[in-house]
Amino acid sequence: MSKKNYAGIPDKYARIDEAKVVLIPVPYDGTSTWQKGADKGPDAFLNASENMELFDIETRSEVYKKGVYLAPPVTEDSSPEKMVEAVYKTTKNYIKQDKFVTLFGGEHSISIGSIRAFNESFEDLTVVQIDAHADLRPEYEGSKCNHACAVHEASKTTNLIQVGIRSMDISEMDHMDENQVYFAHDLYEDWQDDAIGQMTPNVFITIDLDAFDPSILPSTGTPEPGGLFWYETLEFLKMMFKKKNVVGFDIVELCPNENEKSSDFLAAKLYYKMLSYKFKYQNYNEDDEDE
C-alpha cells in the first residue's frame, strides 16, 4: 500500500498529533475459503474515499476536520495467529493514545485482534456484529484465527449481539445466544430498539460487508442473498451512536472487482457516515431531539 492521506484530506488534518481518528488498514487474506481478494480491500476503499465528497448532508458536518490519521498497514501474514497478535498490539497502541480507533480489512479474522484490544481497554464491552455469517466456530481448518472463527472469542468474553445473520453451520448453535441474534429473515418492526436495549454502555461494531444484500454490494468474498439495505443499516448505526458510547469499529471483507466500483464506494461512504455519526452524536442528549 502506498502512503497517502485518507480521502486525500489536507496534511493538517492527517497528522497523528492532531487527529482524533486513527484508521488502521489490514490487507490480510490468509484464511478465506472461496473468493480471494480481501487483501486488496483497503486499497480499493482508500481509492474510493478519494472520490467522495466530504460534506455529510444528513449531519451537516465535515467530519474529516476532526482529523483522520492513516496508520501504516498491518502486513503480518506469516500465520493467522501472528496476524491477530499484530492487529491486537497495533490497535491497543493507538487506543492508549486516546484516539478513536478504526480498522479496515482484510478478511474478518482481523477482528479477533481488534476486539481483543478493545475488550481489554473498555469495561463491560458489547460487540455488535453486522454480518451474513455467524462466524462462531471455535476452530476451522486447523486454526482458531480463521475467518469462520471471527467472533467466537467475543462470544465468550464480551456481550455479543449479531445482526443480519443468514448463513451458518449447525455446530455454531452451541456457541450462539439466539436471544441476541437478529436473523435477516426475521427482522420485525422494533428489532432495533430491542437490540439497543441489550447493549451495555460501551459498544464496538464489527461490520462484514457481506451483511449487505449483494444487489447493493456484490464485491465480497462470500455474498449471501437476502441481506440488509443501506438506509435500514444507517438507521441502526445512528441509533447506536446516539444511545451508546461507540468506542471503535472495523469494516471487513471488501473483495474488490475491477469492473464493479459501487461496492468500493459503498464501503467508503459507510466508513465516513460512521465517523460523522460518532462526532455528531457522541455527546447526544436524548431529551434534545433537535440534535
Side-chain angles (χ1 to χ4, degrees):
M1 295 179 64
S2 57
K3 177 64 175 174
K4 52 188 175 182
N5 292 347
Y6 162 74
I9 62 177
D11 288 344
K12 67 178 180 177
Y13 299 120
R15 299 196 306 265
I16 182 63
D17 56 330
E18 297 291 335
K20 294 185 181 297
V21 178
V22 169
L23 167 58
I24 306 170
V26 190
Y28 179 78
D29 190 17
T31 74
S32 59
T33 46
W34 187 18
Q35 298 183 87
K36 292 286 188 180
D39 56 322
K40 299 177 176 61
D43 263 337
F45 158 77
L46 290 170
N47 289 336
S49 299
E50 288 186 359
N51 294 285
M52 181 178 62
E53 292 174 312
L54 297 177
F55 174 68
D56 182 68
I57 298 170
E58 181 184 9
T59 59
R60 296 292 197 268
S61 66
E62 295 176 291
V63 73
Y64 75 90
K65 291 182 177 178
K66 298 294 183 182
V68 182
Y69 173 67
L70 180 58
V74 176
T75 56
E76 173 61 62
D77 64 357
S78 58
S79 72
E81 291 73 21
K82 289 183 178 179
M83 177 278 298
V84 165
E85 182 66 14
V87 169
Y88 160 76
K89 288 181 176 178
T90 303
T91 304
K92 193 78 176 286
N93 174 52
Y94 289 116
I95 293 172
K96 287 180 177 178
Q97 295 180 48
D98 199 27
K99 303 297 184 182
F100 183 69
V101 182
T102 64
L103 301 91
F104 197 96
E107 61 169 66
H108 209 169
S109 57
I110 76 159
S111 300
I112 301 171
S114 59
I115 293 170
R116 190 178 295 169
F118 277 94
N119 192 35
E120 288 185 3
S121 304
F122 296 92
E123 291 185 1
D124 200 12
L125 187 70
T126 290
V127 172
V128 177
Q129 173 200 7
I130 303 176
D131 198 333
H133 304 89
D135 290 345
L136 285 170
R137 302 186 203 207
E139 182 177 307
Y140 192 66
E141 294 192 337
S143 176
K144 296 179 180 179
C145 296
N146 189 283
H147 70 100
C149 314
V151 295
H152 179 265
E153 182 176 306
S155 74
K156 308 302 181 187
T157 61
T158 75
N159 176 45
L160 177 65
I161 296 171
Q162 300 179 285
V163 173
I165 308 302
R166 54 196 188 275
S167 179
M168 61 184 292
D169 185 77
I170 192 171
S171 65
E172 293 175 276
M173 294 294 293
D174 294 338
H175 309 286
M176 175 177 279
D177 180 356
E178 287 194 72
N179 292 321
Q180 298 200 164
V181 181
Y182 296 85
F183 291 104
H185 73 277
D186 194 28
L187 294 179
Y188 51 92
E189 183 176 354
D190 296 324
W191 74 268
Q192 297 180 339
D193 291 323
D194 289 347
I196 294 284
Q198 292 173 322
M199 297 176 196
T200 55
N202 293 326
V203 172
F204 178 82
I205 304 170
T206 179
I207 299 181
D208 186 326
L209 291 167
D210 65 26
F212 288 100
D213 192 83
S215 65
I216 66 168
L217 197 148
S219 295
T220 187
T222 49
E224 287 280 347
L228 303 177
F229 289 95
W230 180 246
Y231 285 111
E232 67 178 324
T233 304
L234 291 188
E235 181 183 0
F236 182 48
L237 290 170
K238 183 162 60 174
M239 286 177 68
M240 282 191 280
F241 280 100
K242 278 186 172 184
K243 297 186 176 185
K244 300 296 175 180
N245 177 34
V246 177
V247 297
F249 64 83
D250 64 34
I251 300 174
V252 299
E253 296 286 357
L254 177 64
C255 185
N257 179 340
E258 183 62 34
N259 299 314
E260 196 282 302
K261 297 297 185 182
S262 64
S263 296
D264 305 353
F265 196 80
L266 188 153
K269 194 82 170 181
L270 177 67
Y271 178 85
Y272 200 68
K273 290 294 287 188
M274 292 175 74
L275 290 189
S276 298
Y277 291 155
K278 171 63 181 177
F279 290 94
K280 174 72 173 180
Y281 297 120
Q282 62 180 349
N283 298 312
Y284 177 75
N285 182 346
E286 288 186 52
D287 295 329
D288 184 5
E289 286 302 324
D290 289 337
E291 273 294 305

